[in-house]
Amino acid sequence: MSRLFSALALGPLTLPNRIVIAPMCQYSASDGHAGSWHAMHYGQLAQSGAGLLIVEATAVQPAGRISWADVGLWDEACADAWQPVLAGIRQWSTMPLGIQLAHAGRKASCHRPWDGGAQLAAGDARGWTTLAPSALPYASEDLPPQAMDEAAIAQLIADFAAAAQRAQALGFELIEIHAAHGYLLHQFLSPLSNTRSDRWGGSLDNRMALLLAVFDAVKAAVAPSMAVGVRISATDWVEGGWDLAQSIALARVLDARGCHFIHVSSGGLDGRQQIPVGPGYQLPLAQAIKAEVEMPVIAVGLITEPTHAEAVVATGQADAVGIARGILYNPRWPWHAAAALGVKVPVSPQYRRCEPLAQRGLFA
């Protein structure tokens, strides 16, 4: 029996297997609206055989987009744009669907990656003033962000909750709150980017307060049938920054508050980071957090081989494995994993005749 292909409950949502398609920004929206690229891209991934598809970081405010080409869910027009995309997926796939709600904070108002990814210059009509806990830019060449006041923080919390309600109305079954990779909620967590002296900064409890307020607001805004979890960077990989010990403390608090899962990544906050990149390089972080909480832990980071993914869940390092760039490169990764691990995988009938001769019986 394969553990990777066994069922997993994330709170009220049961996944058919433990392969999670992690959120990956597409930078292909118009005024925050999903379109034909998203229909094609997510429709393809919904035929992959994974246990869960989480769509890309979706901004809860226009100023929360990483780039001018990011998707959003800040108003009903954004929600309306998602409807045909999701309807097409639902017509042909039963794969559980989640959405990552996000705000980029100071790492916003940028070019698309293939246009260089740098922050837009002052005066560029596509740009805006970014927000952050403190007026500290991400890169020295960036424009200083605006430090958020109490009104801006209250609005942010309300906008996360409103976006969560729109996600529920659209039929998403899971919400992942993005507090990783140097974006706004991570910026509040890390003492490298949060130098406030009010109730939102300073002590660990104060730096965690905004993420916890957002989590509580989202949880209260949706039905109990909606799975709600958090993605974190477990360390900044910079001395004096956010680290594993603080992540464990945060995870314990989230667990006690009824968080349904935690998705463990790392880095992205500070250009000085020193990351020991290699296969499964973030697994020790996920494993350390898993030892301290009851909620399921999703591990991610260069877990590219089926046998490695199987070992991660079979040995208890994590409860599920997130696949990102690997499934962009190979959109049938779960099929190939099933073949390597000797298990059957369900496929749409349109694809049954492509079952390889050497793998007869692979398709359930």
Side-chain angles (χ1 to χ4, degrees):
M1 293 291 293
S2 166
R3 287 287 292 164
L4 185 64
F5 281 89
S6 65
L8 173 66
L10 303 180
L13 178 64
T14 298
L15 312 184
N17 64 60
R18 296 165 186 249
I19 303 169
V20 174
I21 300 176
M24 293 168 284
C25 292
Q26 296 299 297
Y27 307 100
S28 301
S30 175
D31 296 321
H33 298 170
S36 58
W37 174 265
H38 301 88
M40 176 182 69
H41 173 65
Y42 291 120
Q44 171 185 234
L45 293 181
Q47 294 295 329
S48 69
L52 172 66
L53 167 57
I54 309 177
V55 305
E56 65 201 87
T58 303
V60 301
Q61 296 176 347
R65 293 172 292 170
I66 302 168
S67 81
W68 56 269
D70 284 15
V71 291
L73 198 52
W74 59 75
D75 62 15
E76 294 308 311
C78 289
D80 290 345
W82 272 112
Q83 284 183 344
V85 175
L86 298 175
I89 294 171
R90 278 285 169 249
Q91 183 178 1
W92 302 108
S93 173
T94 60
M95 183 179 293
L97 298 177
I99 187 169
Q100 186 184 69
L101 298 182
H103 194 295
R106 68 183 187 177
K107 291 180 72 175
S109 189
C110 293
H111 288 282
R112 298 173 299 186
W114 53 86
D115 295 325
Q119 195 171 81
L120 296 167
D124 192 310
R126 298 168 297 178
W128 57 89
T129 300
T130 64
L131 301 173
S134 305
L136 302 172
Y138 170 68
S140 59
E141 63 270 21
D142 289 349
L143 297 168
Q146 178 179 322
M148 296 174 71
D149 60 17
E150 286 286 343
I153 289 172
Q155 188 64 57
L156 177 77
I157 296 168
D159 288 343
F160 263 99
Q165 290 177 326
R166 294 185 188 101
Q168 178 176 269
L170 283 166
F172 284 106
E173 299 155 273
L174 175 145
I175 290 170
E176 180 174 275
I177 298 169
H178 198 359
H181 301 157
Y183 299 122
L184 184 60
L185 296 179
H186 183 185
Q187 291 161 29
F188 270 85
L189 291 173
S190 177
L192 298 177
S193 48
N194 182 350
T195 60
R196 301 172 74 102
S197 57
D198 62 1
R199 66 191 180 109
W200 305 105
S203 69
L204 174 59
D205 286 345
N206 285 4
R207 285 182 281 112
M208 294 193 305
L210 180 56
L211 171 55
L212 296 178
V214 167
F215 174 80
D216 289 346
V218 167
K219 198 94 183 306
V222 297
S225 58
M226 176 73 82
V228 180
V230 176
R231 190 171 198 184
I232 67 167
S233 281
T235 177
D236 290 338
W237 300 110
V238 178
E239 186 71 27
W242 183 254
D243 58 21
L244 179 57
Q246 295 173 89
S247 292
I248 289 172
L250 171 63
R252 287 172 175 160
V253 175
L254 286 168
D255 203 28
R257 273 174 144 86
C259 190
H260 293 135
F261 66 92
I262 189 163
H263 193 168
V264 181
S265 188
S266 71
L269 183 110
D270 192 296
R272 296 171 293 173
Q273 64 189 18
Q274 297 293 318
I275 303 178
V277 176
Y281 69 100
Q282 294 173 153
L283 279 172
L285 305 171
Q287 186 172 11
I289 290 171
K290 179 171 168 53
E292 301 290 338
V293 297
E294 295 294 326
M295 62 180 162
V297 173
I298 303 171
V300 68
L302 284 179
I303 304 169
T304 59
E305 297 300 322
T307 52
H308 189 192
E310 174 71 21
V312 168
V313 294
T315 60
Q317 291 176 282
D319 299 286
V321 170
I323 307 293
R325 291 171 176 84
I327 207 162
L328 289 184
Y329 183 73
N330 177 7
R332 299 290 183 264
W333 192 95
W335 291 11
H336 299 159
L341 298 172
V343 299
K344 295 179 180 293
V345 62
V347 301
S348 291
Q350 294 92 332
Y351 291 146
R352 286 178 188 159
R353 59 182 173 171
C354 78
E355 184 181 63
L357 182 62
Q359 298 290 342
R360 289 296 184 230
L362 170 64
F363 292 166

